Amino acid sequence: MTALLETRGLTAFYGDFQALFGVDIRVEASETIAIIGANGAGKTTLMRAISGVLKSAADTITCRGEAIGALTAPDILSRGVAMVPEGRRLFPSLTVEENLLVGAYGKRRGVWTLDSVYTLFPILKERRNNPATALSGGQQQMVAIGRALMANPDVLLCDEISLGLAPVVVRDIYAAFPRIRASGASIVIVEQDIGQALKVASRVYCMMEGRITLSGRPDELSRENIHTAYFGAV
Ligand code: ATP
């Protein structure tokens, strides 16, 4: 069956430096997958390649069977792949509501509107007229997720959304995920916290040095397997 999103033999370079070596991942409709791996494993590079920030060979990334690897980031977004970037990258001079509205500039329409994002994260409605940067880190992360949802994506790429946040805040953010999936979107999370990844994902890919070293359902993976795939054999 054709996957919603698939990479096949995906490579990526920063100048002469090769960061990805033939990465194969598959995302089906309405599932959550997690990409885990140590610092520098290539997780962010994989997200950048899929979202079109880094150009790839056309047929190494497909969306519903259509080659999208060579498309620009706005074209990939219009195909339904949206990214919540590492570090959130909100517009500091805009309010919460204006940041959310920026996400809706494309043509895709669906369940995600200002109202439904405010229902998902009620605190954002309270703070809607505040500058986005006046919010706490967790609330800013909610804005970043809400902004991506406003594009009504079929695939939501989330790069390290729990980085630097208190566990209780991380829990609140992940509590929104079942509702995002229920809206029909698949979710790809990049997570350094392996426990968190295993809890929310139906399938996990582990990366090391630009390659997928392990993949499977959380219940199929042992701690030893994950440790070896994460750090290499000792
Ligand atoms: P982290 O958890 O630290 O974000 P990561 O798994 O996301 O790690 P990447 O950021 O994708 O890893 O980095 C993969 C490799 O590419 C690393 O060796 C990194 O040093 C290198 N790299 C990343 N960005 C650049 C860049 N802009 N220019 C050159 N090399 C880069």
Side-chain angles (χ1 to χ4, degrees):
M1 251 204 13
T2 311
L4 174 56
L5 182 78
E6 189 169 22
T7 70
R8 271 203 195 179
L10 179 64
T11 56
F13 294 83
Y14 295 105
D16 291 339
F17 177 79
Q18 185 164 5
L20 297 181
F21 297 82
V23 169
D24 297 352
I25 68 162
R26 214 180 141 88
V27 184
E28 309 291 352
S30 291
E31 70 167 344
T32 302
I33 72 159
I35 316 281
I36 60 173
N39 282 335
K43 308 177 299 295
T44 294
T45 303
L46 175 59
M47 295 300 103
R48 287 193 191 133
I50 294 173
S51 61
V53 177
L54 283 176
K55 278 279 163 50
S56 306
D59 58 357
T60 54
I61 309 175
T62 54
C63 185
R64 294 181 208 81
E66 183 196 0
I68 62 165
L71 299 182
T72 61
D75 282 341
I76 289 176
L77 182 61
S78 73
R79 301 288 196 288
V81 182
M83 170 130 101
V84 182
E86 189 174 4
R88 309 188 276 267
R89 310 216 174 211
L90 301 180
F91 297 101
S93 61
L94 301 184
T95 64
V96 167
E97 186 150 304
E98 287 164 343
N99 266 280
L100 292 174
L101 287 170
V102 168
Y105 91 104
K107 291 197 194 71
R108 298 173 63 87
R109 295 289 171 261
V111 297
W112 295 108
T113 60
L114 273 181
D115 279 348
S116 54
V117 169
Y118 286 150
T119 304
L120 187 69
F121 297 123
I123 187 69
L124 299 189
K125 187 169 187 181
E126 282 173 38
R127 311 294 306 269
R128 64 185 181 279
N129 294 320
N130 290 109
T133 46
L135 273 58
S136 70
Q139 292 165 358
Q140 290 190 31
Q141 193 58 270
M142 291 172 189
V143 177
I145 294 168
R147 181 179 60 182
L149 289 175
M150 291 288 283
N152 278 290
D154 296 325
V155 183
L156 184 69
L157 307 173
C158 298
D159 194 359
E160 307 237 11
I161 52 172
S162 48
L163 205 66
L165 301 179
V168 58
V169 178
V170 173
R171 199 191 54 202
D172 282 353
I173 290 174
Y174 273 110
F177 276 41
R179 273 179 285 164
I180 296 172
R181 241 175 352 99
S183 79
S186 297
I187 304 172
V188 178
I189 60 164
V190 164
E191 234 336 313
Q192 294 242 4
D193 180 339
I194 300 175
Q196 185 65 256
L198 296 177
K199 223 181 328 174
V200 300
S202 52
R203 286 184 306 114
V204 176
Y205 291 92
C206 185
M207 293 185 73
M208 187 174 55
E209 295 174 356
R211 295 178 171 83
I212 302 288
T213 45
L214 181 72
S215 67
R217 292 197 319 267
D219 62 345
E220 294 171 336
L221 307 176
S222 68
R223 286 169 74 104
E224 290 73 23
N225 280 343
I226 293 174
H227 191 274
T228 307
Y230 209 92
F231 299 109
V234 279

